[in-house]
Short mmCIF file of all heavy atoms in Angstrom, two decimals:
data_model
loop_
_atom_site.label_atom_id
_atom_site.label_comp_id
_atom_site.label_asym_id
_atom_site.label_seq_id
_atom_site.Cartn_x
_atom_site.Cartn_y
_atom_site.Cartn_z
N LEU A 12 51.85 134.17 173.41
CA LEU A 12 52.84 134.76 172.52
C LEU A 12 53.94 135.50 173.24
O LEU A 12 55.11 135.45 172.86
CB LEU A 12 52.16 135.71 171.52
CG LEU A 12 51.56 135.12 170.25
CD1 LEU A 12 50.96 136.24 169.40
CD2 LEU A 12 52.62 134.37 169.45
N LEU A 13 53.60 136.26 174.29
CA LEU A 13 54.55 137.19 174.90
C LEU A 13 55.06 136.75 176.26
O LEU A 13 55.79 137.52 176.91
CB LEU A 13 53.90 138.58 175.02
CG LEU A 13 53.36 139.17 173.71
CD1 LEU A 13 52.72 140.52 173.98
CD2 LEU A 13 54.47 139.30 172.68
N ASP A 14 54.71 135.58 176.73
CA ASP A 14 55.14 135.14 178.07
C ASP A 14 56.14 133.99 178.02
O ASP A 14 56.33 133.30 179.02
CB ASP A 14 53.91 134.75 178.90
CG ASP A 14 53.16 133.55 178.34
OD1 ASP A 14 53.57 133.03 177.28
OD2 ASP A 14 52.16 133.13 178.96
N GLY A 15 56.77 133.80 176.89
CA GLY A 15 57.72 132.70 176.76
C GLY A 15 57.11 131.44 176.19
O GLY A 15 57.83 130.46 175.95
N GLY A 16 55.81 131.45 175.96
CA GLY A 16 55.17 130.27 175.40
C GLY A 16 55.54 130.03 173.95
O GLY A 16 55.73 128.89 173.52
N ALA A 17 55.65 131.11 173.18
CA ALA A 17 56.02 131.00 171.77
C ALA A 17 57.52 130.83 171.65
O ALA A 17 58.28 131.63 172.20
CB ALA A 17 55.56 132.24 171.00
N PRO A 18 58.00 129.83 170.92
CA PRO A 18 59.45 129.61 170.81
C PRO A 18 60.18 130.72 170.08
O PRO A 18 61.39 130.86 170.23
CB PRO A 18 59.55 128.28 170.03
CG PRO A 18 58.24 128.12 169.35
CD PRO A 18 57.22 128.79 170.22
N PHE A 19 59.45 131.53 169.32
CA PHE A 19 60.08 132.63 168.59
C PHE A 19 59.99 133.96 169.35
O PHE A 19 60.24 135.02 168.79
CB PHE A 19 59.45 132.77 167.19
CG PHE A 19 57.96 132.62 167.18
CD1 PHE A 19 57.14 133.70 167.42
CD2 PHE A 19 57.39 131.38 166.95
CE1 PHE A 19 55.76 133.56 167.44
CE2 PHE A 19 56.00 131.23 166.96
CZ PHE A 19 55.18 132.31 167.20
N TYR A 20 59.59 133.90 170.62
CA TYR A 20 59.60 135.09 171.48
C TYR A 20 60.07 134.63 172.86
O TYR A 20 59.28 134.20 173.70
CB TYR A 20 58.21 135.72 171.57
CG TYR A 20 58.21 137.13 172.14
CD1 TYR A 20 58.24 138.23 171.31
CD2 TYR A 20 58.19 137.34 173.52
CE1 TYR A 20 58.23 139.52 171.82
CE2 TYR A 20 58.19 138.62 174.04
CZ TYR A 20 58.22 139.71 173.20
OH TYR A 20 58.23 140.99 173.71
N GLY A 21 61.37 134.70 173.07
CA GLY A 21 61.90 134.19 174.33
C GLY A 21 63.40 134.37 174.41
O GLY A 21 64.00 135.16 173.66
N VAL A 22 64.02 133.65 175.33
CA VAL A 22 65.44 133.79 175.61
C VAL A 22 66.10 132.42 175.45
O VAL A 22 65.58 131.42 175.93
CB VAL A 22 65.67 134.34 177.03
CG1 VAL A 22 67.14 134.39 177.37
CG2 VAL A 22 65.04 135.73 177.17
N TYR A 23 67.28 132.41 174.80
CA TYR A 23 67.99 131.16 174.55
C TYR A 23 69.43 131.25 175.04
O TYR A 23 70.10 132.28 174.87
CB TYR A 23 67.97 130.83 173.06
CG TYR A 23 66.61 130.37 172.59
CD1 TYR A 23 65.68 131.29 172.11
CD2 TYR A 23 66.25 129.04 172.63
CE1 TYR A 23 64.42 130.88 171.70
CE2 TYR A 23 64.99 128.61 172.22
CZ TYR A 23 64.09 129.54 171.75
OH TYR A 23 62.84 129.13 171.35
N GLU A 24 69.90 130.16 175.61
CA GLU A 24 71.27 130.08 176.11
C GLU A 24 72.23 129.87 174.95
O GLU A 24 71.93 129.16 173.98
CB GLU A 24 71.41 128.96 177.12
CG GLU A 24 72.78 128.93 177.79
CD GLU A 24 72.88 127.86 178.87
OE1 GLU A 24 71.93 127.06 179.00
OE2 GLU A 24 73.90 127.83 179.58
N THR A 25 73.41 130.48 175.07
CA THR A 25 74.43 130.36 174.04
C THR A 25 75.57 129.47 174.54
O THR A 25 75.57 129.02 175.69
CB THR A 25 74.97 131.74 173.65
OG1 THR A 25 75.41 132.43 174.83
CG2 THR A 25 73.87 132.56 172.99
N ALA A 26 76.57 129.25 173.68
CA ALA A 26 77.64 128.30 173.99
C ALA A 26 78.44 128.69 175.23
O ALA A 26 79.02 127.83 175.91
CB ALA A 26 78.57 128.15 172.79
N ASP A 27 78.49 129.97 175.54
CA ASP A 27 79.28 130.44 176.68
C ASP A 27 78.43 130.65 177.93
O ASP A 27 78.88 131.28 178.89
CB ASP A 27 80.00 131.74 176.32
CG ASP A 27 79.07 132.82 175.79
OD1 ASP A 27 77.88 132.51 175.52
OD2 ASP A 27 79.52 133.97 175.62
N GLY A 28 77.20 130.15 177.93
CA GLY A 28 76.35 130.29 179.11
C GLY A 28 75.66 131.63 179.21
O GLY A 28 74.96 131.89 180.19
N GLU A 29 75.81 132.47 178.19
CA GLU A 29 75.09 133.74 178.14
C GLU A 29 73.76 133.51 177.40
O GLU A 29 73.38 132.37 177.14
CB GLU A 29 75.94 134.80 177.44
CG GLU A 29 77.27 135.07 178.13
CD GLU A 29 77.12 135.73 179.48
OE1 GLU A 29 76.05 136.30 179.76
OE2 GLU A 29 78.08 135.68 180.27
N HIS A 30 73.08 134.60 177.04
CA HIS A 30 71.75 134.43 176.44
C HIS A 30 71.50 135.44 175.33
O HIS A 30 72.05 136.55 175.34
CB HIS A 30 70.67 134.57 177.51
CG HIS A 30 70.71 133.49 178.54
ND1 HIS A 30 71.52 133.57 179.66
CD2 HIS A 30 70.07 132.29 178.61
CE1 HIS A 30 71.36 132.47 180.39
NE2 HIS A 30 70.49 131.69 179.78
N MET A 31 70.62 135.03 174.41
CA MET A 31 70.11 135.91 173.36
C MET A 31 68.60 136.01 173.51
O MET A 31 67.93 135.03 173.85
CB MET A 31 70.44 135.36 171.97
CG MET A 31 71.92 135.27 171.67
SD MET A 31 72.72 136.89 171.53
CE MET A 31 72.00 137.51 170.00
N ALA A 32 68.06 137.20 173.26
CA ALA A 32 66.62 137.43 173.30
C ALA A 32 66.09 137.53 171.88
O ALA A 32 66.68 138.25 171.05
CB ALA A 32 66.31 138.72 174.06
N ILE A 33 65.02 136.81 171.58
CA ILE A 33 64.44 136.87 170.24
C ILE A 33 62.97 137.27 170.35
O ILE A 33 62.27 136.88 171.27
CB ILE A 33 64.59 135.55 169.48
CG1 ILE A 33 63.72 134.44 170.09
CG2 ILE A 33 66.05 135.10 169.45
CD1 ILE A 33 63.67 133.19 169.24
N GLY A 34 62.54 138.08 169.37
CA GLY A 34 61.15 138.52 169.33
C GLY A 34 60.62 138.51 167.91
O GLY A 34 60.01 139.48 167.47
N ALA A 35 60.89 137.42 167.19
CA ALA A 35 60.54 137.33 165.77
C ALA A 35 59.08 136.92 165.59
O ALA A 35 58.78 135.81 165.15
CB ALA A 35 61.48 136.35 165.08
N LEU A 36 58.17 137.80 165.92
CA LEU A 36 56.74 137.49 165.86
C LEU A 36 56.22 137.43 164.42
O LEU A 36 55.53 136.49 164.04
CB LEU A 36 55.95 138.52 166.66
CG LEU A 36 56.15 138.52 168.18
CD1 LEU A 36 55.48 139.75 168.79
CD2 LEU A 36 55.60 137.25 168.79
N GLU A 37 56.54 138.45 163.63
CA GLU A 37 56.02 138.52 162.28
C GLU A 37 56.74 137.52 161.37
O GLU A 37 57.94 137.30 161.52
CB GLU A 37 56.18 139.94 161.73
CG GLU A 37 55.35 140.99 162.45
CD GLU A 37 55.99 141.53 163.73
OE1 GLU A 37 57.04 140.99 164.13
OE2 GLU A 37 55.44 142.47 164.32
N PRO A 38 56.02 136.94 160.41
CA PRO A 38 56.62 135.92 159.54
C PRO A 38 57.91 136.37 158.85
O PRO A 38 58.87 135.60 158.75
CB PRO A 38 55.51 135.62 158.53
CG PRO A 38 54.25 135.88 159.29
CD PRO A 38 54.57 137.07 160.16
N ARG A 39 57.95 137.61 158.37
CA ARG A 39 59.17 138.03 157.67
C ARG A 39 60.35 138.19 158.61
O ARG A 39 61.49 137.95 158.23
CB ARG A 39 58.91 139.32 156.87
CG ARG A 39 58.58 140.55 157.70
CD ARG A 39 58.13 141.70 156.78
NE ARG A 39 57.82 142.92 157.50
CZ ARG A 39 58.71 143.88 157.72
NH1 ARG A 39 59.95 143.77 157.27
NH2 ARG A 39 58.36 144.98 158.37
N PHE A 40 60.08 138.59 159.85
CA PHE A 40 61.15 138.66 160.83
C PHE A 40 61.59 137.26 161.24
O PHE A 40 62.78 136.99 161.44
CB PHE A 40 60.71 139.45 162.05
CG PHE A 40 60.33 140.88 161.76
CD1 PHE A 40 59.46 141.57 162.59
CD2 PHE A 40 60.85 141.55 160.66
CE1 PHE A 40 59.11 142.88 162.32
CE2 PHE A 40 60.51 142.87 160.38
CZ PHE A 40 59.63 143.53 161.21
N TYR A 41 60.62 136.36 161.35
CA TYR A 41 60.92 134.97 161.70
C TYR A 41 61.77 134.32 160.61
O TYR A 41 62.69 133.55 160.90
CB TYR A 41 59.61 134.21 161.88
CG TYR A 41 59.77 132.74 162.22
CD1 TYR A 41 60.32 132.35 163.43
CD2 TYR A 41 59.37 131.76 161.31
CE1 TYR A 41 60.46 131.00 163.74
CE2 TYR A 41 59.49 130.42 161.62
CZ TYR A 41 60.05 130.04 162.84
OH TYR A 41 60.19 128.71 163.14
N ALA A 42 61.50 134.68 159.36
CA ALA A 42 62.30 134.14 158.26
C ALA A 42 63.76 134.58 158.38
O ALA A 42 64.69 133.80 158.12
CB ALA A 42 61.72 134.57 156.92
N GLU A 43 63.97 135.83 158.80
CA GLU A 43 65.34 136.31 158.99
C GLU A 43 66.01 135.62 160.17
O GLU A 43 67.22 135.36 160.15
CB GLU A 43 65.35 137.83 159.17
CG GLU A 43 64.98 138.59 157.91
CD GLU A 43 65.74 139.90 157.78
OE1 GLU A 43 66.88 140.00 158.27
OE2 GLU A 43 65.18 140.83 157.18
N LEU A 44 65.24 135.32 161.21
CA LEU A 44 65.78 134.56 162.33
C LEU A 44 66.29 133.20 161.85
O LEU A 44 67.42 132.80 162.17
CB LEU A 44 64.71 134.38 163.41
CG LEU A 44 65.05 133.38 164.53
CD1 LEU A 44 66.19 133.91 165.39
CD2 LEU A 44 63.81 133.11 165.38
N LEU A 45 65.47 132.49 161.10
CA LEU A 45 65.87 131.17 160.62
C LEU A 45 67.09 131.27 159.71
O LEU A 45 68.00 130.43 159.77
CB LEU A 45 64.71 130.52 159.88
CG LEU A 45 63.46 130.19 160.70
CD1 LEU A 45 62.45 129.43 159.84
CD2 LEU A 45 63.80 129.40 161.95
N ALA A 46 67.14 132.32 158.89
CA ALA A 46 68.28 132.49 158.00
C ALA A 46 69.56 132.69 158.80
O ALA A 46 70.61 132.10 158.49
CB ALA A 46 68.04 133.66 157.06
N GLY A 47 69.49 133.52 159.82
CA GLY A 47 70.68 133.76 160.64
C GLY A 47 71.14 132.52 161.37
O GLY A 47 72.35 132.31 161.58
N LEU A 48 70.19 131.68 161.77
CA LEU A 48 70.53 130.45 162.48
C LEU A 48 70.93 129.31 161.53
O LEU A 48 71.34 128.24 161.99
CB LEU A 48 69.33 129.99 163.33
CG LEU A 48 68.96 130.86 164.52
CD1 LEU A 48 67.64 130.38 165.13
CD2 LEU A 48 70.06 130.87 165.56
N GLY A 49 70.81 129.56 160.23
CA GLY A 49 71.11 128.51 159.28
C GLY A 49 70.01 127.48 159.15
O GLY A 49 70.23 126.36 158.70
N LEU A 50 68.79 127.87 159.53
CA LEU A 50 67.65 126.95 159.48
C LEU A 50 66.65 127.33 158.40
O LEU A 50 65.57 126.76 158.33
CB LEU A 50 66.93 126.92 160.83
CG LEU A 50 67.75 126.44 162.03
CD1 LEU A 50 66.94 126.58 163.31
CD2 LEU A 50 68.18 124.99 161.83
N ASP A 51 66.99 128.30 157.54
CA ASP A 51 66.05 128.71 156.50
C ASP A 51 65.87 127.58 155.50
O ASP A 51 66.76 126.79 155.23
CB ASP A 51 66.54 129.97 155.78
CG ASP A 51 67.98 129.85 155.31
OD1 ASP A 51 68.77 129.21 156.01
OD2 ASP A 51 68.30 130.40 154.24
N GLY A 52 64.66 127.50 154.97
CA GLY A 52 64.31 126.42 154.07
C GLY A 52 63.74 125.23 154.80
O GLY A 52 63.26 124.27 154.18
N LEU A 53 63.77 125.27 156.14
CA LEU A 53 63.24 124.16 156.94
C LEU A 53 62.05 124.64 157.75
O LEU A 53 61.92 124.34 158.93
CB LEU A 53 64.33 123.61 157.87
CG LEU A 53 65.62 123.13 157.20
CD1 LEU A 53 66.61 122.67 158.26
CD2 LEU A 53 65.34 122.01 156.22
#
């Protein structure tokens, strides 16, 4: 969960070559992550 194995706890590259850190472990936080990314409902 905490070593980069979980896709919802890790670091992702952005369009400008920078990075975002996500730690959406709990389901309700994960739901907000998907909503922000436009992936909610999937």
Side-chain angles (χ1 to χ4, degrees):
L12 275 181
L13 304 179
D14 64 359
F19 42 86
Y20 195 95
V22 176
Y23 287 90
E24 186 176 8
T25 54
D27 54 351
E29 300 292 341
H30 295 86
M31 297 293 290
I33 69 171
L36 292 171
E37 295 83 353
R39 65 189 181 92
F40 299 155
Y41 179 66
E43 291 215 29
L44 169 68
L45 296 185
L48 292 172
L50 298 175
D51 50 325
L53 303 178

